[in-house]
Every structure is written in structure tokens, then in C-alpha cells.
Amino acid sequence: MECHTVALVPVAGYDEQKVYEAVETGISLLGGWERFVSENEKILLKPNLLSGSLPQKAVTTHPAVFGAVAASLRKAGYSCLQYGDSPGNPATSPDKAADLSGIREQAERYGIEKADFDGGSIVRFPEGKTAKSFYLCSGVQQADALISICKMKTHALERITGAVKNLYGCICGVNKAAGHALYPSGEKFADMLADLHLCVRPRLHIMDGIIAMEGNGPSSGTPVRMNVLLFSSDPVALDTVFCRLIDLDPASVPTCPAGARAGIGTMNTDEIRIVTPDGEISAARAAELYGKPDFDVFREKLRESLIMKFMPLLPVLQHRPKADMKRCVGCGICQEACPVPEKAVKSGNGKKAVYDYKKCIRCYCCQEMCPVKAISVYRSPLNKLLGGK
């Protein structure tokens, strides 16, 4: 079977038996677990545990999906299973995120050990084109095979977060912020993620798109039904199918072209086979049957010819994080998450968020980590006029 195959399995809701049957179907459509992992390997299940969040908020991988993957592996005879992720929120430990999301309960149910995501060390990767080393969690380094169980969501910097972006949780703790400082643009960050994939080499990607997140993702958006699970060994192809389902050009998502350039997958729809329980379908047919063309995601980009004419107004044109003073509680998490040493946002001890946009690198870590949905990406009226959204 071609490595660019994406299995799409419809499933409405998180009923455990139905989700389990959907996982079994998806893996079968790809040729079975034996195509990806061996019984004697130490297998790491890596969900999206961005922060300590309840399952219904659609911030994290739903525990029913995680549990179904675990149950399917156990049934197939895989005994050495571990799980883990490193949350992006500096105030949230891996244990707390696993507890609140319901992942830990499922892990204990199936006897899955917690991998070490509290500590790590530098792993050199001289082959990287953008990143030459990564501070990887110990649990990632100790695993023989990694299965990524990602979440279908929007993302301020990369437009979407899916299979390619989910691997950033392999980076240990506060080192995530350093990565945003080193690779501040969406394109550079995506190139780094492509190198990370080549370094870690995950075997399989499973996307929880039963309830996705649109709008102000990846933590402050709106849950929305998509009713699908996606499976593939090709993270770029999987994210490309996600894009097609929401009528978004994958070329506008930095992680897709970056991944294609690095050779971790394809974003060419003609090279991607989409298989379902009812047979193979085209991307257009998948969008027709399972898509949501009005999915709330940023779609446009400024026309470059006009940008050049308006270069003196670039600070006004740039997207930037903005805090809603009515929602902000002055918790200080945005300041703690900011990767800029001098801190582009100041908050804490009840003092509400204040930005210094001269320091801001537009990485949106503050927006991503805000626990009360007070921060969004502001786009000026002139920007909208030039971009056409």
C-alpha cells in the first residue's frame, strides 16, 4: 500500500464502542498494526495535551480516541505501551494535563505506563536543514516507535495544528518557548517541525476530528463537529486531507509545503489515496460528504504587490496578539509563555496584559496558552482590505 494513503472513517460522537470500531476499521484500511510497529518494540502513544483541559473543550485529544487506540493495540498483542506529551502551558505539568483531559484514566485502564515527559536532553541532528538539535523529552528518546494521536484544530501561527504540528510536544517543557524565539515565523517554525519529524520518525498519525476546534485555536476556539477520524503514515498527506475537508488551500499552511520539501510527505492531492469503509474516494468527494466549507480558519494572505506599496505601514498591517481587557484576569500565564527574554507582554498578580509590540515576534504563544480565552489575533481593517478576507 502506498505511503500516501489516508484512511477516513466517519464516526458521530465519542461513544467508546463506536470509536473503537472506527479505530479498528481505520487501521485495517491501512493494512493492520503490523505495518507500523513490531510486538517487541516499546511503543509511545503521543496525544495532544496542550494544556490541562476538559475533553468537551476540544483542546486535547479525546480520551475515547486515545483509549480506542490503546484497546486496539492491546487486542493485537502489543504489550509494551507508554504514553506522554509535554504541555505548552508552562503552568501545567504532564500529569495535570493527562488527569484533566481524561487520558490518564484511559492509560491506567489499559495498563499503559507514563513515559518520562518531565525531563529530557539535547539530541544532535546534524542532518537538519533548519534545526541541528532538539531538546527531546526522555520518553521520546527511550521509545522504539511513536504513534501520534493528534487533534483537528486551528492555529494562529500555522493556520491549522494537526499531524505535523503535534510532534512539537516531544520538545521538553520550557524549551518550547526557546524554539519559538529561534524560529519566530510560521515558515521557519514549519521547517523546524519538518526536521523534528526526520529526527523522531513517527510511525503513524491518527487525527481526532470527531469534535474539532475552529476559530481562535488551538486553545481558545470553538468546538465544532466534523465526525471523522483520519489515519496515515504520511503527516503531510493527513494534514492536506484535513485542509480539503475545510476548503483550505494546503499550500497556505506552512507545515504542508515545509513537510513536502523535507520529504516527510506529500501535499499533492493527486498523489494521495483516500480510503473509507465504503471504498476509495477523491478529495472532492470527501469534502462533499464529510467537509465543512465554512470552517472558521484564517484563509487569506496579503497580496505581496500591495504590501510593497504599504511597507511604511507594516507595523499597522501586521497581525498581532491582542488581549480583551474584559476577559483578562491578570494571571500572568501569557508573560510566562512569551519566549522573548525581555517579555513582549507583561501581566501577573492581577495586572492585566499589556503588550510592547516592538518586542513581539508574533509567535502567538500568549494566545495559545491563555486559560480564559482573553487573547486573540488582531487583524487591522487595512490588513483585511488588502488581504480580502
Side-chain angles (χ1 to χ4, degrees):
M1 182 174 290
E2 300 93 330
C3 62
H4 304 314
T5 298
V6 176
L8 185 158
V9 182
V11 54
Y14 287 110
D15 176 83
E16 287 192 356
Q17 182 60 33
K18 291 181 179 178
V19 175
Y20 170 76
E21 292 171 357
V23 168
E24 287 274 273
T25 299
I27 296 302
S28 176
L29 287 169
L30 293 183
W33 286 114
E34 62 271 18
R35 286 198 62 241
F36 308 105
V37 287
S38 301
E39 289 187 12
N40 60 344
E41 289 184 307
K42 182 184 291 185
I43 301 168
L44 175 65
L45 304 183
K46 194 253 173 249
N48 183 321
L49 293 177
L50 174 67
S51 61
S53 183
L54 297 174
Q56 58 266 33
K57 294 185 177 181
V59 174
T60 55
T61 302
H62 197 280
V65 176
F66 177 87
V69 173
S72 181
L73 282 162
R74 287 297 194 211
K75 181 184 176 183
Y78 295 90
S79 59
C80 193
L81 302 179
Q82 293 189 325
Y83 79 98
D85 188 24
S86 180
N89 190 329
T92 303
S93 69
D95 281 346
K96 183 178 180 180
D99 282 340
L100 286 174
S101 66
I103 295 294
R104 185 171 184 170
E105 181 181 353
Q106 290 287 340
E108 292 177 349
R109 176 180 177 183
Y110 292 103
I112 303 176
E113 296 179 1
K114 184 189 73 170
D116 183 0
F117 272 73
D118 293 300
S121 60
I122 293 176
V123 174
R124 305 294 177 187
F125 187 61
E127 303 95 320
K129 294 182 180 179
T130 298
K132 302 294 184 181
S133 65
F134 298 98
Y135 201 102
L136 294 181
C137 294
S138 298
V140 176
Q141 297 183 51
Q142 294 162 3
D144 298 315
L146 187 151
I147 296 174
S148 171
I149 313 174
C150 57
K151 187 73 176 177
M152 182 182 284
K153 299 190 293 182
T154 50
H155 193 271
L157 185 65
E158 304 293 342
R159 299 192 184 221
I160 66 166
T161 179
V164 175
K165 176 65 174 61
N166 192 46
L167 223 61
Y168 200 52
C170 294
I171 305 297
C172 191
V174 296
N175 295 279
K176 287 187 175 66
H180 280 286
L182 284 171
Y183 315 105
S185 72
E187 290 72 19
K188 282 294 183 185
F189 194 77
D191 287 334
M192 176 275 297
L193 288 172
D195 283 335
L196 179 58
H197 273 256
L198 291 170
C199 178
V200 175
R201 296 194 177 278
R203 303 283 182 84
L204 179 67
H205 304 267
I206 301 171
M207 178 178 284
D208 171 13
I210 299 174
I211 301 293
M213 177 181 284
E214 63 179 353
N216 193 31
S219 63
S220 300
T222 304
V224 59
R225 285 192 173 275
M226 292 297 290
N227 294 327
V228 294
L229 291 176
L230 302 178
F231 307 75
S232 185
S233 60
D234 180 337
V236 182
L238 192 150
D239 285 350
T240 296
V241 172
F242 170 18
C243 289
R244 296 304 182 192
L245 291 178
I246 61 174
D247 194 28
L248 177 67
D249 181 2
S252 71
V253 175
T255 51
C256 287
R261 286 193 302 270
I264 66 170
T266 184
M267 57 179 280
N268 185 343
T269 304
D270 293 337
E271 297 176 353
I272 300 171
R273 289 184 66 230
I274 302 175
V275 294
T276 77
D278 297 321
E280 186 173 339
I281 59 175
S282 66
R285 182 60 175 162
E288 181 182 341
L289 292 174
Y290 309 109
K292 189 178 188 297
D294 62 345
F295 192 94
D296 184 7
V297 59
F298 178 64
R299 302 174 183 278
E300 307 298 333
K301 54 186 176 182
L302 292 173
R303 293 186 280 272
E304 293 184 5
S305 59
L306 289 178
I307 289 179
M308 297 308 295
K309 295 179 182 179
F310 287 91
M311 279 300 289
L313 295 176
L314 187 58
V316 178
L317 290 175
Q318 280 185 308
H319 301 178
R320 57 187 183 272
K322 183 178 180 180
D324 182 341
M325 292 296 103
K326 293 181 180 179
R327 289 189 174 186
C328 180
V329 296
C331 64
I333 288 177
C334 57
Q335 178 175 321
E336 194 173 352
C338 179
V340 179
E342 301 84 4
K343 300 298 181 182
V345 58
K346 298 293 180 66
S347 174
N349 297 319
K351 295 182 179 179
K352 298 192 176 186
V354 176
Y355 282 91
D356 182 345
Y357 291 113
K358 292 180 180 179
K359 298 177 182 176
C360 181
I361 61 174
R362 276 73 175 174
C363 66
Y364 305 111
C365 289
C366 55
Q367 175 264 351
E368 187 170 333
M369 293 299 107
C370 179
V372 295
K373 303 184 179 182
I375 301 174
S376 59
V377 179
Y378 174 74
R379 193 166 178 242
S380 72
L382 182 55
N383 183 301
K384 293 179 181 179
L385 179 65
L386 295 175
K389 188 181 180 187

